[in-house]
Amino acid sequence: MSPRATATRAHGSRPGSRTGALPGREKTYNYHNLQHPGTLWYHDHAMGLTRVNLLAGLVGAYVIRQPSLEMTLGLPYDEEFDRPLVVFDRSFNKDGSIYMDPKGNNPTIHPQWQPEYFGDAIVVNGKAWPYMTVRRRRYRFRIINASNARFFNFSIDNGLKFVHVGSDSTYIEKPVTTNSFVLAPSEITDVVVDFSKSKSKSAILTNSAAYPYPSGDPVNTANCKVMKFIIKSEHESDTSTIPKTLIKYPPPSLSATGALTRHIALYEYTSPIDEPTHLYINGLSYDAPATETPKVGTTEIWNVINLTEDNHPLHIHLGLFVVLDQTELVDVDKFKECMSKYNDAIKCGVHKYAVGRKTEVPAHEKGWKNVFKMMPGHITKIHVRFSYIHSNESYPFDATAEPGYVYHCHILDHEDNAMMRPLKFTH
């Protein structure tokens, strides 16, 4: 069956309907949709239960379009050739219901929690290992990784390539061609694939990312395959194009007095037998008072220090950011020892340790992001903008209103226990 674009509202609902809601528990949220065009997704965010509710299917794609701007680019734009692909992994019981370990790794500490959920089947737009019949022409795929914990290293066989035109919720400045790319949980990439270049009648979208990423187990024969494209034989004219330039946004602006700089440290805690028990940001639980209180409309510099062995996709609510560089930490064990004692990057002399090799940011990820992969044993420097990036205008709502926002690792099992911190805005 062909995967189809996911609707921008919950399946089965109607505008104004209250299907499934409990009396007196409804709440209406209005989205202004004034930001730049791009691809987003929405999902449940219940404290401590996000991973469970997303496994149950509370996710959806959300595409914002601006025809007056986008039609001039010449990219595939028609609904038939512009498709969201919401990709995730699941395990199933024999009756078809979703399987999740009911006990978890440490049930006496955190019932039902496991460090990462990995499913046996790869699902695209609600169908396990689907196929899609395509014509010999360009297609645009807005690929959303909606997995709880699985990273994907996507490639496509038969010599086909990806042309990246967007990353997360924004366009990139110039198209970038790749043979493969890594997509973390909650990351989005917007690519064009030209099936007219295929010499065969089919192509397979595959995955080669280890799990956990980057140093876990290799993928098996089941989860290395994502979906199949059946390519029609007839060649046809294609009026779509890929322009040399796409959309350029203003660069991150710093005030005359300089931007506020923060150090954000990621920790993992284990039991005496080295079993993961929980994860914290800056050594603090979610319930601890907010320490990140940016002013609306400002730009800040965040140095994110990953002291764990996992790659953590960091997501900042209401913030878009540009990744400047990733630098390897040297003498990591010595630095960890100091951080475990003082939990203070400056006091521990982080700049003495952040002198290792630098990892280049992939060309297709050098634009504005709202999720990025924080490499283990590295410090990642980002410029975070707390306003609309296409105009530098403030939000059309009061961002300082309670209960506020959050930033967190988007491995849902980590977020739920408890790699998430409050984000409180000020004027």
mmCIF file of all heavy atoms in Angstrom, residues 268-309:
data_model
loop_
_atom_site.group_PDB
_atom_site.id
_atom_site.type_symbol
_atom_site.label_atom_id
_atom_site.label_comp_id
_atom_site.label_asym_id
_atom_site.label_seq_id
_atom_site.Cartn_x
_atom_site.Cartn_y
_atom_site.Cartn_z
ATOM 1 N N GLU A 268 24.670 10.937 32.496
ATOM 2 C CA GLU A 268 23.956 9.671 32.665
ATOM 3 C C GLU A 268 24.381 9.057 33.994
ATOM 4 O O GLU A 268 25.555 9.090 34.352
ATOM 5 C CB GLU A 268 24.270 8.699 31.529
ATOM 6 C CG GLU A 268 23.554 7.364 31.666
ATOM 7 C CD GLU A 268 23.869 6.404 30.530
ATOM 8 O OE1 GLU A 268 24.952 5.775 30.588
ATOM 9 O OE2 GLU A 268 23.067 6.290 29.604
ATOM 10 N N TYR A 269 23.408 8.492 34.725
ATOM 11 C CA TYR A 269 23.681 7.880 36.020
ATOM 12 C C TYR A 269 23.373 6.392 35.943
ATOM 13 O O TYR A 269 22.423 5.976 35.265
ATOM 14 C CB TYR A 269 22.837 8.555 37.107
ATOM 15 C CG TYR A 269 23.107 10.045 37.209
ATOM 16 C CD1 TYR A 269 22.419 10.940 36.388
ATOM 17 C CD2 TYR A 269 24.054 10.537 38.092
ATOM 18 C CE1 TYR A 269 22.671 12.303 36.465
ATOM 19 C CE2 TYR A 269 24.315 11.896 38.173
ATOM 20 C CZ TYR A 269 23.615 12.772 37.357
ATOM 21 O OH TYR A 269 23.878 14.119 37.425
ATOM 22 N N THR A 270 24.193 5.589 36.635
ATOM 23 C CA THR A 270 24.050 4.136 36.549
ATOM 24 C C THR A 270 24.006 3.513 37.936
ATOM 25 O O THR A 270 24.391 4.129 38.939
ATOM 26 C CB THR A 270 25.217 3.512 35.758
ATOM 27 O OG1 THR A 270 26.448 3.827 36.414
ATOM 28 C CG2 THR A 270 25.251 4.043 34.334
ATOM 29 N N SER A 271 23.540 2.266 37.975
ATOM 30 C CA SER A 271 23.497 1.491 39.210
ATOM 31 C C SER A 271 24.892 0.899 39.473
ATOM 32 O O SER A 271 25.791 0.996 38.631
ATOM 33 C CB SER A 271 22.472 0.371 39.075
ATOM 34 O OG SER A 271 22.934 -0.588 38.131
ATOM 35 N N PRO A 272 25.088 0.247 40.646
ATOM 36 C CA PRO A 272 26.391 -0.377 40.940
ATOM 37 C C PRO A 272 26.816 -1.417 39.902
ATOM 38 O O PRO A 272 28.007 -1.702 39.775
ATOM 39 C CB PRO A 272 26.171 -1.016 42.313
ATOM 40 C CG PRO A 272 25.133 -0.151 42.955
ATOM 41 C CD PRO A 272 24.206 0.234 41.827
ATOM 42 N N ILE A 273 25.860 -1.974 39.149
ATOM 43 C CA ILE A 273 26.215 -2.943 38.109
ATOM 44 C C ILE A 273 26.220 -2.294 36.729
ATOM 45 O O ILE A 273 26.126 -2.959 35.711
ATOM 46 C CB ILE A 273 25.271 -4.157 38.135
ATOM 47 C CG1 ILE A 273 23.807 -3.726 37.901
ATOM 48 C CG2 ILE A 273 25.411 -4.921 39.434
ATOM 49 C CD1 ILE A 273 22.871 -4.908 37.691
ATOM 50 N N ASP A 274 26.341 -0.967 36.713
ATOM 51 C CA ASP A 274 26.472 -0.178 35.491
ATOM 52 C C ASP A 274 25.221 -0.217 34.618
ATOM 53 O O ASP A 274 25.284 -0.098 33.403
ATOM 54 C CB ASP A 274 27.685 -0.644 34.663
ATOM 55 C CG ASP A 274 28.196 0.464 33.742
ATOM 56 O OD1 ASP A 274 28.102 1.644 34.109
ATOM 57 O OD2 ASP A 274 28.687 0.130 32.643
ATOM 58 N N GLU A 275 24.064 -0.366 35.260
ATOM 59 C CA GLU A 275 22.791 -0.321 34.554
ATOM 60 C C GLU A 275 22.265 1.111 34.593
ATOM 61 O O GLU A 275 22.171 1.717 35.664
ATOM 62 C CB GLU A 275 21.783 -1.250 35.223
ATOM 63 C CG GLU A 275 20.425 -1.292 34.560
ATOM 64 C CD GLU A 275 20.454 -1.997 33.224
ATOM 65 O OE1 GLU A 275 21.228 -2.950 33.057
ATOM 66 O OE2 GLU A 275 19.691 -1.571 32.334
ATOM 67 N N PRO A 276 21.939 1.720 33.438
ATOM 68 C CA PRO A 276 21.431 3.098 33.461
ATOM 69 C C PRO A 276 20.177 3.227 34.319
ATOM 70 O O PRO A 276 19.280 2.390 34.263
ATOM 71 C CB PRO A 276 21.107 3.366 31.978
ATOM 72 C CG PRO A 276 21.971 2.425 31.218
ATOM 73 C CD PRO A 276 22.057 1.196 32.070
ATOM 74 N N THR A 277 20.141 4.279 35.138
ATOM 75 C CA THR A 277 18.988 4.520 36.004
ATOM 76 C C THR A 277 18.250 5.807 35.643
ATOM 77 O O THR A 277 17.042 5.861 35.698
ATOM 78 C CB THR A 277 19.417 4.592 37.480
ATOM 79 O OG1 THR A 277 20.406 5.623 37.642
ATOM 80 C CG2 THR A 277 19.982 3.260 37.943
ATOM 81 N N HIS A 278 18.972 6.860 35.278
ATOM 82 C CA HIS A 278 18.330 8.109 34.880
ATOM 83 C C HIS A 278 19.374 9.024 34.245
ATOM 84 O O HIS A 278 20.581 8.749 34.297
ATOM 85 C CB HIS A 278 17.662 8.808 36.064
ATOM 86 C CG HIS A 278 18.594 9.213 37.153
ATOM 87 N ND1 HIS A 278 19.174 8.307 38.023
ATOM 88 C CD2 HIS A 278 19.061 10.422 37.536
ATOM 89 C CE1 HIS A 278 19.942 8.922 38.895
ATOM 90 N NE2 HIS A 278 19.905 10.227 38.610
ATOM 91 N N LEU A 279 18.899 10.093 33.623
ATOM 92 C CA LEU A 279 19.765 11.063 32.966
ATOM 93 C C LEU A 279 19.324 12.459 33.374
ATOM 94 O O LEU A 279 18.123 12.713 33.529
ATOM 95 C CB LEU A 279 19.709 10.908 31.438
ATOM 96 C CG LEU A 279 20.027 9.514 30.895
ATOM 97 C CD1 LEU A 279 18.733 8.766 30.575
ATOM 98 C CD2 LEU A 279 20.895 9.605 29.647
ATOM 99 N N TYR A 280 20.273 13.364 33.531
ATOM 100 C CA TYR A 280 19.971 14.741 33.911
ATOM 101 C C TYR A 280 20.682 15.718 32.975
ATOM 102 O O TYR A 280 21.723 15.395 32.385
ATOM 103 C CB TYR A 280 20.439 15.041 35.338
ATOM 104 C CG TYR A 280 19.523 14.577 36.448
ATOM 105 C CD1 TYR A 280 20.001 14.500 37.754
ATOM 106 C CD2 TYR A 280 18.198 14.217 36.210
ATOM 107 C CE1 TYR A 280 19.180 14.081 38.796
ATOM 108 C CE2 TYR A 280 17.373 13.795 37.244
ATOM 109 C CZ TYR A 280 17.867 13.727 38.529
ATOM 110 O OH TYR A 280 17.050 13.309 39.555
ATOM 111 N N ILE A 281 20.121 16.904 32.884
ATOM 112 C CA ILE A 281 20.789 18.029 32.236
ATOM 113 C C ILE A 281 21.275 18.963 33.331
ATOM 114 O O ILE A 281 20.508 19.341 34.223
ATOM 115 C CB ILE A 281 19.830 18.768 31.289
ATOM 116 C CG1 ILE A 281 19.367 17.835 30.155
ATOM 117 C CG2 ILE A 281 20.499 20.018 30.700
ATOM 118 C CD1 ILE A 281 18.351 18.464 29.215
ATOM 119 N N ASN A 282 22.560 19.309 33.277
ATOM 120 C CA ASN A 282 23.181 20.165 34.294
ATOM 121 C C ASN A 282 23.025 19.611 35.707
ATOM 122 O O ASN A 282 22.972 20.353 36.688
ATOM 123 C CB ASN A 282 22.638 21.599 34.223
ATOM 124 C CG ASN A 282 23.237 22.381 33.059
ATOM 125 O OD1 ASN A 282 24.261 21.988 32.505
ATOM 126 N ND2 ASN A 282 22.596 23.470 32.691
ATOM 127 N N GLY A 283 22.930 18.277 35.812
ATOM 128 C CA GLY A 283 22.854 17.638 37.121
ATOM 129 C C GLY A 283 21.582 17.917 37.878
ATOM 130 O O GLY A 283 21.520 17.702 39.091
ATOM 131 N N LEU A 284 20.539 18.389 37.181
ATOM 132 C CA LEU A 284 19.301 18.789 37.846
ATOM 133 C C LEU A 284 18.120 17.987 37.315
ATOM 134 O O LEU A 284 18.049 17.680 36.117
ATOM 135 C CB LEU A 284 19.031 20.284 37.622
ATOM 136 C CG LEU A 284 20.091 21.252 38.166
ATOM 137 C CD1 LEU A 284 19.806 22.665 37.673
ATOM 138 C CD2 LEU A 284 20.124 21.214 39.685
ATOM 139 N N SER A 285 17.171 17.693 38.190
ATOM 140 C CA SER A 285 15.938 17.049 37.755
ATOM 141 C C SER A 285 15.032 18.075 37.084
ATOM 142 O O SER A 285 15.265 19.290 37.177
ATOM 143 C CB SER A 285 15.213 16.425 38.952
ATOM 144 O OG SER A 285 14.656 17.447 39.775
ATOM 145 N N TYR A 286 13.983 17.591 36.471
ATOM 146 C CA TYR A 286 13.041 18.512 35.832
ATOM 147 C C TYR A 286 12.359 19.424 36.857
ATOM 148 O O TYR A 286 12.038 20.577 36.573
ATOM 149 C CB TYR A 286 11.977 17.724 35.058
ATOM 150 C CG TYR A 286 10.902 18.603 34.468
ATOM 151 C CD1 TYR A 286 11.133 19.377 33.347
ATOM 152 C CD2 TYR A 286 9.640 18.673 35.069
ATOM 153 C CE1 TYR A 286 10.154 20.197 32.825
ATOM 154 C CE2 TYR A 286 8.648 19.487 34.554
ATOM 155 C CZ TYR A 286 8.916 20.239 33.428
ATOM 156 O OH TYR A 286 7.947 21.065 32.914
ATOM 157 N N ASP A 287 12.164 18.919 38.061
ATOM 158 C CA ASP A 287 11.438 19.673 39.089
ATOM 159 C C ASP A 287 12.259 20.784 39.722
ATOM 160 O O ASP A 287 11.706 21.645 40.413
ATOM 161 C CB ASP A 287 10.954 18.724 40.179
ATOM 162 C CG ASP A 287 9.929 17.732 39.666
ATOM 163 O OD1 ASP A 287 9.135 18.129 38.790
ATOM 164 O OD2 ASP A 287 9.932 16.578 40.116
ATOM 165 N N ALA A 288 13.561 20.794 39.507
ATOM 166 C CA ALA A 288 14.387 21.868 40.071
ATOM 167 C C ALA A 288 14.043 23.188 39.381
ATOM 168 O O ALA A 288 13.643 23.217 38.211
ATOM 169 C CB ALA A 288 15.862 21.538 39.888
ATOM 170 N N PRO A 289 14.151 24.319 40.092
ATOM 171 C CA PRO A 289 13.810 25.619 39.498
ATOM 172 C C PRO A 289 14.557 25.867 38.195
ATOM 173 O O PRO A 289 15.691 25.412 38.002
ATOM 174 C CB PRO A 289 14.238 26.618 40.581
ATOM 175 C CG PRO A 289 14.175 25.842 41.849
ATOM 176 C CD PRO A 289 14.577 24.441 41.495
ATOM 177 N N ALA A 290 13.915 26.602 37.288
ATOM 178 C CA ALA A 290 14.502 26.896 35.978
ATOM 179 C C ALA A 290 15.794 27.681 36.138
ATOM 180 O O ALA A 290 15.870 28.634 36.915
ATOM 181 C CB ALA A 290 13.509 27.674 35.125
ATOM 182 N N THR A 291 16.803 27.268 35.408
ATOM 183 C CA THR A 291 18.071 27.999 35.375
ATOM 184 C C THR A 291 18.307 28.642 34.019
ATOM 185 O O THR A 291 19.202 29.470 33.881
ATOM 186 C CB THR A 291 19.241 27.058 35.712
ATOM 187 O OG1 THR A 291 19.161 25.890 34.884
ATOM 188 C CG2 THR A 291 19.187 26.629 37.170
ATOM 189 N N GLU A 292 17.525 28.267 33.013
ATOM 190 C CA GLU A 292 17.609 28.877 31.682
ATOM 191 C C GLU A 292 16.402 29.793 31.522
ATOM 192 O O GLU A 292 15.272 29.317 31.372
ATOM 193 C CB GLU A 292 17.642 27.805 30.586
ATOM 194 C CG GLU A 292 18.997 27.130 30.436
ATOM 195 C CD GLU A 292 19.400 26.324 31.669
ATOM 196 O OE1 GLU A 292 18.655 25.418 32.048
ATOM 197 O OE2 GLU A 292 20.473 26.621 32.251
ATOM 198 N N THR A 293 16.642 31.098 31.555
ATOM 199 C CA THR A 293 15.566 32.097 31.523
ATOM 200 C C THR A 293 15.893 33.168 30.479
ATOM 201 O O THR A 293 16.168 34.328 30.821
ATOM 202 C CB THR A 293 15.389 32.751 32.903
ATOM 203 O OG1 THR A 293 16.656 33.288 33.336
ATOM 204 C CG2 THR A 293 14.892 31.738 33.927
ATOM 205 N N PRO A 294 15.887 32.817 29.202
ATOM 206 C CA PRO A 294 16.266 33.780 28.164
ATOM 207 C C PRO A 294 15.220 34.875 27.973
ATOM 208 O O PRO A 294 14.035 34.685 28.273
ATOM 209 C CB PRO A 294 16.367 32.909 26.913
ATOM 210 C CG PRO A 294 15.455 31.758 27.172
ATOM 211 C CD PRO A 294 15.538 31.500 28.649
ATOM 212 N N LYS A 295 15.669 36.001 27.468
ATOM 213 C CA LYS A 295 14.760 37.083 27.104
ATOM 214 C C LYS A 295 14.196 36.829 25.720
ATOM 215 O O LYS A 295 14.919 36.420 24.805
ATOM 216 C CB LYS A 295 15.491 38.428 27.131
ATOM 217 C CG LYS A 295 15.889 38.903 28.517
ATOM 218 C CD LYS A 295 16.520 40.292 28.458
ATOM 219 C CE LYS A 295 16.887 40.782 29.852
ATOM 220 N NZ LYS A 295 17.496 42.141 29.798
ATOM 221 N N VAL A 296 12.904 37.056 25.567
ATOM 222 C CA VAL A 296 12.266 36.895 24.262
ATOM 223 C C VAL A 296 12.936 37.832 23.262
ATOM 224 O O VAL A 296 13.186 39.006 23.561
ATOM 225 C CB VAL A 296 10.757 37.202 24.348
ATOM 226 C CG1 VAL A 296 10.117 37.133 22.971
ATOM 227 C CG2 VAL A 296 10.067 36.231 25.302
ATOM 228 N N GLY A 297 13.239 37.310 22.070
ATOM 229 C CA GLY A 297 13.817 38.130 21.013
ATOM 230 C C GLY A 297 15.328 38.184 21.008
ATOM 231 O O GLY A 297 15.910 38.853 20.153
ATOM 232 N N THR A 298 15.983 37.476 21.934
ATOM 233 C CA THR A 298 17.440 37.524 22.001
ATOM 234 C C THR A 298 18.074 36.285 21.382
ATOM 235 O O THR A 298 17.406 35.288 21.096
ATOM 236 C CB THR A 298 17.919 37.652 23.454
ATOM 237 O OG1 THR A 298 17.483 36.496 24.199
ATOM 238 C CG2 THR A 298 17.365 38.910 24.099
ATOM 239 N N THR A 299 19.384 36.378 21.188
ATOM 240 C CA THR A 299 20.180 35.243 20.752
ATOM 241 C C THR A 299 21.159 34.882 21.854
ATOM 242 O O THR A 299 21.774 35.766 22.450
ATOM 243 C CB THR A 299 20.955 35.577 19.465
ATOM 244 O OG1 THR A 299 20.027 35.855 18.416
ATOM 245 C CG2 THR A 299 21.828 34.406 19.028
ATOM 246 N N GLU A 300 21.288 33.595 22.138
ATOM 247 C CA GLU A 300 22.237 33.136 23.141
ATOM 248 C C GLU A 300 23.204 32.136 22.533
ATOM 249 O O GLU A 300 22.903 31.510 21.504
ATOM 250 C CB GLU A 300 21.506 32.480 24.321
ATOM 251 C CG GLU A 300 20.615 33.429 25.103
ATOM 252 C CD GLU A 300 20.059 32.807 26.366
ATOM 253 O OE1 GLU A 300 20.199 31.575 26.562
ATOM 254 O OE2 GLU A 300 19.479 33.562 27.175
ATOM 255 N N ILE A 301 24.343 31.967 23.171
ATOM 256 C CA ILE A 301 25.310 30.942 22.781
ATOM 257 C C ILE A 301 25.247 29.833 23.822
ATOM 258 O O ILE A 301 25.439 30.087 25.015
ATOM 259 C CB ILE A 301 26.735 31.512 22.700
ATOM 260 C CG1 ILE A 301 26.827 32.586 21.615
ATOM 261 C CG2 ILE A 301 27.742 30.389 22.408
ATOM 262 C CD1 ILE A 301 28.162 33.302 21.572
ATOM 263 N N TRP A 302 24.941 28.620 23.367
ATOM 264 C CA TRP A 302 24.912 27.469 24.262
ATOM 265 C C TRP A 302 26.059 26.532 23.899
ATOM 266 O O TRP A 302 26.219 26.153 22.727
ATOM 267 C CB TRP A 302 23.592 26.717 24.148
ATOM 268 C CG TRP A 302 22.418 27.413 24.783
ATOM 269 C CD1 TRP A 302 22.279 28.734 25.056
ATOM 270 C CD2 TRP A 302 21.199 26.789 25.221
ATOM 271 N NE1 TRP A 302 21.060 28.993 25.624
ATOM 272 C CE2 TRP A 302 20.375 27.814 25.738
ATOM 273 C CE3 TRP A 302 20.727 25.482 25.215
ATOM 274 C CZ2 TRP A 302 19.103 27.560 26.253
ATOM 275 C CZ3 TRP A 302 19.461 25.217 25.718
ATOM 276 C CH2 TRP A 302 18.659 26.248 26.235
ATOM 277 N N ASN A 303 26.849 26.169 24.887
ATOM 278 C CA ASN A 303 27.882 25.152 24.732
ATOM 279 C C ASN A 303 27.370 23.872 25.384
ATOM 280 O O ASN A 303 27.315 23.783 26.625
ATOM 281 C CB ASN A 303 29.181 25.609 25.385
ATOM 282 C CG ASN A 303 29.788 26.811 24.685
ATOM 283 O OD1 ASN A 303 30.215 26.713 23.547
ATOM 284 N ND2 ASN A 303 29.813 27.949 25.362
ATOM 285 N N VAL A 304 26.983 22.919 24.572
ATOM 286 C CA VAL A 304 26.364 21.691 25.077
ATOM 287 C C VAL A 304 27.443 20.626 25.230
ATOM 288 O O VAL A 304 28.099 20.239 24.258
ATOM 289 C CB VAL A 304 25.254 21.200 24.133
ATOM 290 C CG1 VAL A 304 24.546 19.985 24.727
ATOM 291 C CG2 VAL A 304 24.245 22.318 23.872
ATOM 292 N N ILE A 305 27.639 20.165 26.469
ATOM 293 C CA ILE A 305 28.718 19.239 26.806
ATOM 294 C C ILE A 305 28.113 17.858 27.029
ATOM 295 O O ILE A 305 27.358 17.644 27.985
ATOM 296 C CB ILE A 305 29.443 19.700 28.080
ATOM 297 C CG1 ILE A 305 29.936 21.144 27.924
ATOM 298 C CG2 ILE A 305 30.596 18.765 28.416
ATOM 299 C CD1 ILE A 305 30.318 21.791 29.243
ATOM 300 N N ASN A 306 28.445 16.911 26.177
ATOM 301 C CA ASN A 306 27.887 15.563 26.293
ATOM 302 C C ASN A 306 28.881 14.671 27.024
ATOM 303 O O ASN A 306 29.899 14.254 26.467
ATOM 304 C CB ASN A 306 27.581 14.991 24.907
ATOM 305 C CG ASN A 306 26.842 13.668 24.976
ATOM 306 O OD1 ASN A 306 26.702 13.073 26.047
ATOM 307 N ND2 ASN A 306 26.362 13.189 23.845
ATOM 308 N N LEU A 307 28.580 14.359 28.285
ATOM 309 C CA LEU A 307 29.441 13.534 29.113
ATOM 310 C C LEU A 307 29.016 12.071 29.114
ATOM 311 O O LEU A 307 29.473 11.291 29.947
ATOM 312 C CB LEU A 307 29.437 14.073 30.551
ATOM 313 C CG LEU A 307 29.958 15.508 30.717
ATOM 314 C CD1 LEU A 307 29.780 15.982 32.159
ATOM 315 C CD2 LEU A 307 31.414 15.601 30.300
ATOM 316 N N THR A 308 28.140 11.687 28.194
ATOM 317 C CA THR A 308 27.645 10.309 28.127
ATOM 318 C C THR A 308 28.222 9.599 26.910
ATOM 319 O O THR A 308 28.947 10.195 26.104
ATOM 320 C CB THR A 308 26.113 10.276 28.035
ATOM 321 O OG1 THR A 308 25.706 10.559 26.686
ATOM 322 C CG2 THR A 308 25.476 11.310 28.966
ATOM 323 N N GLU A 309 27.876 8.334 26.761
ATOM 324 C CA GLU A 309 28.348 7.550 25.619
ATOM 325 C C GLU A 309 27.340 7.534 24.478
ATOM 326 O O GLU A 309 27.607 6.946 23.431
ATOM 327 C CB GLU A 309 28.653 6.120 26.063
ATOM 328 C CG GLU A 309 29.786 6.032 27.077
ATOM 329 C CD GLU A 309 30.091 4.614 27.501
ATOM 330 O OE1 GLU A 309 29.401 3.689 27.027
ATOM 331 O OE2 GLU A 309 31.028 4.425 28.307
#
